[in-house]
Amino acid sequence: MSLYAVQKLIYQLNRDPRVREQLAQDFDGLLAQYELSEEERNAIRDPDIGLLYVMGVNGQLLMHYAALRGFGWNAYIEAMREGERKYGPVRTGLYTSAGSRS
Amino acid sequence: MSLYAVQKLIYQLNRDPRVREQLAQDFDGLLAQYELSEEERNAIRDPDIGLLYVMGVNGQLLMHYAALRGFGWNAYIEAMREGERKYGPVRTGLYTSAGSRS
Amino acid sequence: MSLVFAGVCSHAPGIVGRKDRADPVLRDGLYAAFERMRLAIEAARPDALVVIAAEHFANFFMNNMPAICMGMGEHYEGPIEDEAWLGIKRTRVPGDAQLSKALIEEVMNDIDLAYAQEWKFDHGISVPLHFLTPRYDLPVIPVNINCQGPPLIPLKRCYEFGRALRRACAALPQRIAVIGTGGISHWPATPDSGRINEAWDRAFLDKFIGNRREELLAYKDEQTWREAGQGGFEIRTFIAVAGAAEGHTGEVWFYAPIPIFAVGCTIAVMRLRHEDE
Amino acid sequence: MSLVFAGVCSHAPGIVGRKDRADPVLRDGLYAAFERMRLAIEAARPDALVVIAAEHFANFFMNNMPAICMGMGEHYEGPIEDEAWLGIKRTRVPGDAQLSKALIEEVMNDIDLAYAQEWKFDHGISVPLHFLTPRYDLPVIPVNINCQGPPLIPLKRCYEFGRALRRACAALPQRIAVIGTGGISHWPATPDSGRINEAWDRAFLDKFIGNRREELLAYKDEQTWREAGQGGFEIRTFIAVAGAAEGHTGEVWFYAPIPIFAVGCTIAVMRLRHEDE
Ligand SMILES: [Fe+3]
Ligand SMILES: [Fe+3]
């Protein structure tokens, strides 16, 4: 429902050092500023990169958040694959159409 | 030259409480973040509402900054008139075309 | 046709905020016309109200200034102004994200819209809503036409936007009302604030209710600026409504210069259901 | 005609950032093609370079997502990415605000552009500039076409934008070069990152250099997504260049899938000066 809010927070973390600082100092306070469901809040806090991917977060946003939270490239890719195994196919957003994988 | 930067700062002051807070706590530090000429910096700091008007700052931005700096409506209008008397006609922006005044 | 209502109204902040300082006869006439418009919208039984407004640096700035932007939020907030000053309490206004998306996709065939999944209303939208959907129970879809920071969209593209919006409405099952808000002549936030060019306003309104496209599109910003102030650039919102109501004419339900409201206060409505041309 | 150059190139971050991990033969072939393009642009003696790119949430987000936005800054900054990771140092790039304004005003007759007086380049622009204006001595005018956040602009409007840009160039005294950057097939930042559909790419490029408008506009996003990934939506930048070069055909100077660069690396140029259709 609030994929927009999830992506907005990640976008701002990517682009605004002041928001990154708030993540470091008061993560819960930062999360409270966005209209997030429990599941979304947990996925961002953990972080559960795979779940965020399945929720529909655009990879051009998500890969930077994964890096910020210490995921190397391979770990980021693996987290998305793991997310699909655990939570099923991507629910909404750019990546929902059925597509064959190589 | 940097009317854009002047308007950007005023826009952010109008819209972002964090920027307003910085004005209260570290005005010079805030000003240093924008590419401003000496004249522009002084006009914002003083504030010289009339000069900002003559520089071409859009009134829909400027009236809020004037209010923030304690100008009532009549004082704001009078400051613009005084600016025109002191600095001449508006230099650029929306209000530069020759127009008759009632 | 699922465009079920098209009209225009003023949005000046003084209309509510300074209501006690206006000539009560003129004010009450304006308020009565707003109420008539509210009832007309209600009678049209719309599923949503598209508000084509011209905002004042509430959401959009020259770091990314869309010519036209349409809201795609599930809800919106407003007004951003001080509640006491504007005389309107801040509230959440329902949107309809799915309908927005459908409209945007249709309109994008012809008009290169920006879209926004959040939006804070300023008086440009909040003043009309205060009168027209006072219980905030009708989903609103905001549209902004940039009338503040040049380069401004040409008038002919505003008319085309209105036409595209009408086609989009026709392609969708919903019943949609549209209002334009702004202008007409005024000099807001300048030393000439309070000035109103009544003759200019009446001439413009005559062309508007006649939906005389060529005459509407013949206005030039330079001349508008001289005769109607920079606030006159907001005729773009009226012209978009004329485009949405192409082939139809309308009538002025109220016009009077009210200096303390700083604008020639206007309510005008197109007669969509009676083909009269 | 003052459009003096039109071409397209890839912009994937790996092209510079992971250059040491690519097959040297392929990489050097790509680099040589970039150099040939640089010399061709230089030979065309442009006053400015319009870069039609598809950014990745550097400046634009769904809170105000323009279909098409053109820069109107005096200068720009980039890249926003980590300098070591991208292999490109952050720098200031000259713009030309007056020329931007003139172009925007002309293009606005047909296309409802957003404009931006500031802009931070991401790899979508910085990678091409690294090769094509390595001394950053040519004024750049950035353009963004939203290829990330649906609703996306229809392909036909991208072609129309190119045509409008061409007309705007013709109306101005300056000599203007244009490049499109993006795609073609790729699955960036997804579990399929590194996948490339060479057959799809070659078929698309054939239509592109043939400037076969109907075939270019027949692509559908749903099918593109399945066959060419969400990165394939970036064909919009190529289609805009085809529109700018309407009536002209071109040639592919380089194409090779380079998996470590995660894209089929492409350099293609339209032959503007020889009417060949
Ligand atoms: Fe207004
Ligand atoms: Fe890209």
Side-chain angles (χ1 to χ4, degrees), chain C:
Chain C
M1 183 180 68
S2 65
L3 183 72
V4 297
F5 180 89
V8 294
C9 66
S10 303
H11 69 214
I15 291 174
V16 187
R18 294 193 288 271
K19 64 170 182 266
D20 295 335
R21 294 168 60 191
D23 177 332
V25 174
L26 291 178
R27 179 200 61 204
D28 293 348
L30 171 63
Y31 282 24
F34 263 122
E35 178 64 8
R36 183 179 171 195
M37 194 185 212
R38 182 184 78 73
L39 292 170
I41 291 172
E42 195 174 274
R45 294 176 290 110
D47 298 305
L49 174 65
V50 175
V51 183
I52 304 174
E55 69 146 40
H56 318 80
F57 302 110
N59 303 275
F60 307 115
F61 186 67
M62 281 75 82
N63 64 345
N64 178 17
M65 180 58 85
I68 307 184
C69 187
M70 187 178 286
M72 199 172 78
E74 292 172 7
H75 48 75
Y76 307 97
E77 306 286 332
I80 58 167
E81 286 93 346
D82 182 82
E83 295 172 297
W85 177 77
L86 192 62
I88 299 175
K89 279 194 81 67
R90 197 159 299 134
T91 189
R92 170 172 286 199
V93 178
D96 184 335
Q98 284 310 310
L99 177 56
S100 283
K101 183 162 175 283
L103 283 173
I104 291 164
E105 285 174 346
E106 287 289 338
V107 171
M108 268 192 172
N109 284 309
D110 301 287
I111 300 291
D112 313 300
L113 283 179
Y115 69 84
Q117 288 192 260
E118 62 182 298
W119 195 303
K120 287 185 164 54
F121 295 163
D122 73 8
H123 62 270
I125 292 181
S126 290
V127 167
L129 293 187
H130 170 80
F131 290 103
L132 300 176
T133 66
R135 293 183 305 277
Y136 303 107
D137 51 1
L138 181 63
V140 167
I141 296 176
V143 172
N144 193 68
I145 300 180
N146 170 28
C147 301
Q148 286 296 340
L152 304 182
I153 184 170
L155 301 186
K156 65 179 175 183
R157 294 298 297 171
C158 298
Y159 198 92
E160 283 307 305
F161 166 65
R163 295 179 69 223
L165 182 64
R166 162 95 156 273
R167 284 193 296 272
C169 291
L172 296 175
Q174 286 90 347
R175 301 172 63 87
I176 295 167
V178 61
I179 59 167
T181 90
I184 329 172
S185 74
H186 60 314
W187 283 255
T190 74
D192 294 317
S193 177
R195 183 178 167 190
I196 295 162
N197 186 338
E198 179 174 349
W200 193 94
D201 285 351
R202 291 194 182 275
F204 176 82
L205 282 176
D206 193 55
K207 295 168 193 179
F208 172 75
I209 60 166
N211 211 337
R212 298 199 295 275
R213 181 179 177 278
E214 297 307 318
E215 290 177 45
L216 288 171
L217 303 192
Y219 282 90
K220 298 276 170 275
D221 279 344
E222 167 67 26
Q223 191 178 357
T224 296
W225 183 84
R226 268 185 281 115
E227 299 175 358
Q230 90 286 354
F233 297 158
E234 293 182 348
I235 58 172
R236 285 170 168 77
T237 64
F238 285 41
I239 287 174
V241 170
E246 187 186 29
H248 300 269
T249 60
E251 57 187 33
V252 175
W253 285 0
F254 185 87
Y255 175 83
I258 306 184
I260 190 69
F261 295 168
V263 72
C265 295
T266 308
I267 304 279
V269 173
M270 292 300 199
R271 282 181 295 254
L272 286 185
R273 275 167 290 182
H274 309 285
E275 300 283 334
D276 52 9
E277 285 197 5

Side-chain angles (χ1 to χ4, degrees), chain B residues 15 76 81 94 97-98 100-101, chain C residues 58 189 191-192 195 225-226:
Chain B
R15 309 249 35 82
Y76 162 63
R81 295 213 170 98
L94 266 192
S97 310
S100 64
R101 289 268 164 77
Chain C
D192 294 317
R195 183 178 167 190
W225 183 84
R226 268 185 281 115

